[in-house]
Amino acid sequence: MTCVQWNQSYNVDVKEIDGQHQKLVGIMNKLCESIDGGVDDFVIDEIVQDMADYALTHFETEEKYFREFDYKKTDEHIAQHREFSQKVLSLQKDLREDKRNVSADAIGFLGQWFAEHVLKYDREYVECFHEHGLY
Ligand SMILES: [Fe+2]
Ligand SMILES: [Fe+2]
């Protein structure tokens, strides 16, 4: 199962960011496939950790530019990033309690959340980033 189907509409026209989004979606899809494929729990745990770490790296990149460019919706956007990290933490808790089925759904939900975040929140900063010459 592919959790998140990547398409052109997710592009924000900032090279570094688009690359990070695609990589994160790739990890999410790898996770879904691993769960469906009955991979060992410890492997799944590792992929979830990869996803959590990479999401953090990505959020830090965006937030670095928010500060640099004095982006006006910084606080609101960072709150969304924190919400995602919280969801990942509760997913990790569920996995450790061995709720495999619940977790497959949860990753689908996480993927959906991420896609909506990109479309709604990330798109909003594009004009500001471009104004500062970041493409
Ligand atoms: Fe993003
Ligand atoms: Fe974001």
Side-chain angles (χ1 to χ4, degrees):
M1 182 181 88
T2 299
C3 285
V4 192
Q5 203 78 51
W6 190 258
N7 66 59
Q8 287 296 321
S9 71
Y10 294 117
N11 284 340
V12 296
D13 202 21
V14 176
K15 202 170 173 236
E16 183 184 11
I17 302 291
D18 285 334
Q20 290 186 343
H21 286 160
Q22 285 176 40
K23 185 168 170 182
L24 192 53
V25 166
I27 299 172
M28 284 177 177
N29 286 329
K30 184 178 165 194
L31 190 53
C32 288
E33 284 156 20
S34 303
I35 287 177
D36 287 348
V39 169
D40 279 348
D41 285 356
F42 79 92
V43 176
I44 288 170
D45 221 53
E46 274 179 9
I47 306 172
V48 173
Q49 194 55 54
D50 277 355
M51 179 185 71
D53 292 345
Y54 197 73
L56 202 64
T57 298
H58 169 59
F59 293 156
E60 280 170 355
T61 301
E62 288 186 351
E63 291 166 20
K64 177 190 77 181
Y65 290 126
F66 293 167
R67 284 190 298 274
E68 215 173 300
F69 304 152
D70 201 17
Y71 178 53
K72 62 182 189 301
K73 290 187 169 176
T74 296
D75 292 348
E76 188 189 326
H77 199 128
I78 288 177
Q80 289 290 314
H81 289 169
R82 298 295 173 271
E83 197 180 312
F84 183 88
S85 300
Q86 283 303 316
K87 288 182 196 304
V88 174
L89 277 177
S90 78
L91 177 73
Q92 284 176 315
K93 190 170 165 279
D94 284 353
L95 274 168
R96 291 196 176 122
E97 289 165 8
D98 199 25
K99 298 178 192 162
R100 190 176 278 259
N101 290 328
V102 175
S103 298
D105 285 347
I107 292 148
F109 182 73
L110 213 57
Q112 192 59 38
W113 186 99
F114 180 71
E116 282 167 14
H117 175 83
V118 171
L119 293 179
K120 186 174 189 290
Y121 290 89
D122 287 356
R123 270 189 176 174
E124 286 184 328
Y125 63 57
V126 175
E127 200 183 326
C128 169
F129 283 20
H130 282 177
E131 273 171 11
H132 287 84
L134 191 72
Y135 282 87

